Amino acid sequence: SAVSKIPVIANGDVFNFDDFQRIRDSTGASAAMTARGAQWNASIFRKQGLLPIAEVEKAYMQQCIIWDNPLANCKYVLKEMLLHDKGLENPVGKAINQSKTLLDLAKVLDLEEFYVGELKRREAGVKPSRRKRPPSPFADDEKVVHSKVARDENTNNEI
């Protein structure tokens, strides 16, 4: 029937890479998506397994610095990672809460030198897309987990 041709995406309870396939297998869905799992540890997309949260926090903060991400968003995501991992009532959590600038956050995660380097690149006019960025630990070498759901709207071919 026509309904069987509509791709279904399962949502929820994806907290590591293997969960994507487990949910697809158990539900028959075409794909699975995650929100909380990726927010708590963005290395969820690595086939090799989750990275330690401290490494993910640093890599995330580097991206925040490179792209001059709004402070409130950086703090929110870092606090969500920490809250899920070991809570906010520790020196790192308290320092994140008290941070008033991206530089403050960079200092908390021992990235002050990285922050200063990025400021110098910006002042020299080097745009983020044109510079060598640190490798992302968030995904494996393939960089992207592909879904077979996406189709070209003109040809209906898989993208």
Side-chain angles (χ1 to χ4, degrees):
S1 76
V3 173
S4 66
K5 295 179 182 178
I6 298 171
V8 174
I9 301 171
N11 183 25
D13 294 333
V14 177
F15 299 104
N16 63 56
F17 186 83
D18 293 337
D19 286 345
F20 287 105
Q21 191 61 48
R22 178 187 54 77
I23 287 173
R24 289 178 64 205
D25 291 344
S26 66
T27 64
S30 304
M33 63 181 172
T34 181
R36 290 176 298 151
Q39 184 172 330
W40 293 338
N41 189 327
S43 69
I44 188 174
F45 302 102
R46 288 172 32 95
K47 290 179 184 175
Q48 306 90 328
L50 296 174
L51 292 170
I53 200 67
E55 189 175 333
V56 175
E57 290 166 344
K58 273 191 157 183
Y60 172 74
M61 191 61 210
Q62 286 177 321
Q63 295 302 314
C64 289
I65 293 167
I66 288 169
W67 297 102
D68 199 21
N69 202 38
L71 175 67
N73 180 260
C74 298
K75 286 175 72 168
Y76 175 80
V77 173
L78 288 169
K79 289 192 300 187
E80 283 293 315
M81 284 189 235
L82 267 177
L83 188 61
H84 179 70
D85 185 48
K86 57 187 164 220
L88 296 173
E89 291 302 316
N90 57 65
V92 174
K94 290 176 182 180
I96 288 172
N97 272 329
Q98 294 169 356
S99 294
K100 304 225 182 300
T101 66
L102 281 180
L103 177 56
D104 291 342
L105 283 177
K107 288 176 182 178
V108 171
L109 298 174
D110 197 27
L111 290 170
E112 183 174 4
E113 186 176 315
F114 183 85
Y115 179 87
V116 170
E118 284 302 306
L119 282 184
K120 288 179 182 176
R121 282 188 264 293
R122 269 191 220 136
E123 289 168 1
V126 180
K127 297 183 187 248
S129 60
R130 305 270 169 141
R131 67 180 83 138
K132 187 176 188 306
R133 293 188 296 273
S136 172
F138 302 140
D140 63 11
D141 291 339
E142 295 173 28
K143 301 286 185 205
V144 177
V145 177
H146 294 280
S147 169
K148 295 185 183 200
V149 174
R151 295 192 175 273
D152 181 281
E153 63 183 60
N154 296 317
T155 65
N156 201 32
N157 293 332
E158 286 185 9
I159 298 174

